[in-house]
C-alpha cells in the first residue's frame, strides 16, 4: 500500500508522487484494516441477531462507523460478507465430515453427516446459500469447500467399497442433492425432513 506525497515545487505547482509507508506505518495500516473488518463483521452479526437479514452494506458501514468504501474493500457484495459470517459453520461442517469418515459403518456416517448439514442449512439460510453457490467470493471459502469435498470423498469411497452406495456419485453430487432436499424441506415444512433424507439415502444405494 502506498500514500500520495504532495510536495510544493514553485508557485502553485505541486508534485504528487507515490511514497511507500515505513515498516511501522504498514503495520499500523494492516492492524487498522483488521480492526475495521472485525467491527464490520460484529455489526453484521448484530443485525442478523436483531432479525435484519438484508445486510445492506451502506447501513452496516454507518453503524460500524467506517466509510462505505472501507466496507466494500473488505466485502465487495453481500455474498462476500455472508461467506465471512458463515466461516465458523463451514469449519464445523468440515469437522463433522472428518468425524463421519471414522465411523465404522460408512452408510451410518453418511447419514449422520447429511443430517448434520441439513440441520445447519435449515437453521441458517445464508449458510445454505454459501453451500449452494456455484462460485466463491473468497479464497478462504474455496479452500474450505475443497477440504469438505476431500472428507466427503473419503467417506463415499468407504461407502462404495462396502456396497452402500452406487458408483459414479461424487462429493459435488451429494452437496447438490442435499441442497435439493434443503429446498424441499424449506418450502414444504420441517415435518417432511426425515422422509426426504431417507429418500436421498435410498437413492444413493446401488441399483437392485
Amino acid at each position: 500500500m502506498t500514500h500520495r506525497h504532495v510536495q510544493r515545487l514553485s508557485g502553485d505547482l505541486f508534485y504528487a508522487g507515490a511514497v511507500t509507508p515505513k515498516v511501522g506505518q504498514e503495520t499500523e495500516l494492516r492492524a487498522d484494516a483488521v480492526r475495521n473488518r472485525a467491527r464490520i463483521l460484529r455489526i453484521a452479526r448484530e443485525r442478523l441477531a436483531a432479525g435484519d437479514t438484508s445486510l445492506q452494506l451502506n447501513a452496516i458501514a454507518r453503524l460500524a462507523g467506517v466509510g462505505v468504501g472501507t466496507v466494500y474493500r473488505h466485502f465487495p457484495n453481500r455474498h462476500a460478507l455472508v461467506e465471512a459470517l458463515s466461516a465458523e459453520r463451514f469449519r464445523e461442517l468440515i469437522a463433522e465430515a472428518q468425524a463421519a469418515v471414522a465411523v465404522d459403518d460408512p452408510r451410518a456416517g453418511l447419514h449422520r453427516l447429511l443430517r448434520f448439514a441439513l440441520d445447519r442449512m435449515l437453521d441458517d439460510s445464508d449458510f445454505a446459500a454459501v453451500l449452494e453457490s456455484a462460485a466463491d467470493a473468497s479464497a478462504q471459502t474455496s479452500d474450505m469447500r475443497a477440504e469438505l469435498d476431500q472428507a466427503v470423498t473419503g467417506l463415499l469411497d468407504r461407502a462404495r467399497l462396502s456396497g452402500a452406495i452406487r458408483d459414479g456419485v461424487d462429493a459435488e453430487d451429494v452437496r447438490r442433492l442435499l441442497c435439493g432436499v434443503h429446498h424441499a424441506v424449506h418450502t414444504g415444512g420441517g415435518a417432511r425432513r426425515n422422509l426426504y433424507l431417507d429418500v436421498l439415502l435410498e437413492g444413493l444405494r446401488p441399483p437392485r
Side-chain angles (χ1 to χ4, degrees):
M1 182 181 293
T2 60
H3 292 301
R4 302 295 294 179
H5 175 67
V6 179
Q7 177 184 0
R8 188 182 183 91
L9 296 178
S10 62
D12 294 329
L13 296 178
F14 291 84
Y15 167 73
V19 176
T20 302
K22 296 178 180 179
V23 173
Q25 291 174 317
E26 289 179 340
T27 301
E28 183 179 348
L29 288 170
R30 285 196 296 269
D32 188 55
V34 170
R35 285 192 295 270
N36 285 338
R37 187 178 189 277
R39 188 180 302 118
I40 292 164
L41 289 173
R42 176 174 59 80
I43 293 298
R45 291 190 183 97
E46 289 175 358
R47 298 314 305 153
L48 287 174
D52 178 10
T53 59
S54 65
L55 293 181
Q56 295 181 357
L57 299 187
N58 290 3
I60 289 174
R62 175 175 53 80
L63 292 169
V66 299
V68 174
T70 298
V71 176
Y72 278 90
R73 275 194 298 276
H74 288 285
F75 309 107
N77 51 51
R78 184 185 185 280
H79 185 74
L81 176 58
V82 165
E83 280 191 4
L85 292 170
S86 300
E88 184 175 351
R89 283 192 181 272
F90 217 134
R91 293 189 191 99
E92 290 175 353
L93 181 57
I94 291 169
E96 186 67 21
Q98 292 169 341
V101 177
V103 174
D104 289 339
D105 181 353
R107 181 174 172 81
L110 181 59
H111 192 176
R112 163 180 155 175
L113 174 61
L114 294 177
R115 185 169 60 248
F116 179 91
L118 180 59
D119 285 346
R120 296 304 181 275
M121 293 169 74
L122 291 170
D123 184 54
D124 187 341
S125 59
D126 283 327
F127 177 54
V130 172
L131 286 181
E132 293 171 4
S133 178
D136 299 320
S138 73
Q140 179 192 36
T141 303
S142 295
D143 290 344
M144 288 191 294
R145 191 183 298 276
E147 193 173 357
L148 175 63
D149 284 352
Q150 182 179 19
V152 174
T153 297
L155 179 58
L156 293 177
D157 287 345
R158 287 192 61 222
R160 219 174 338 260
L161 286 173
S162 71
I165 67 168
R166 64 176 63 213
D167 292 332
V169 177
D170 60 22
E172 187 174 354
D173 293 325
V174 171
R175 185 170 61 248
R176 288 175 177 173
L177 290 167
L178 184 63
C179 288
V181 172
H182 166 259
H183 179 72
V185 176
H186 183 71
T187 57
R192 314 293 280 177
R193 166 189 170 279
N194 290 335
L195 172 62
Y196 294 159
L197 264 182
D198 287 344
V199 170
L200 171 56
L201 286 165
E202 284 300 315
L204 291 174
R205 284 184 183 273
R208 292 181 175 83

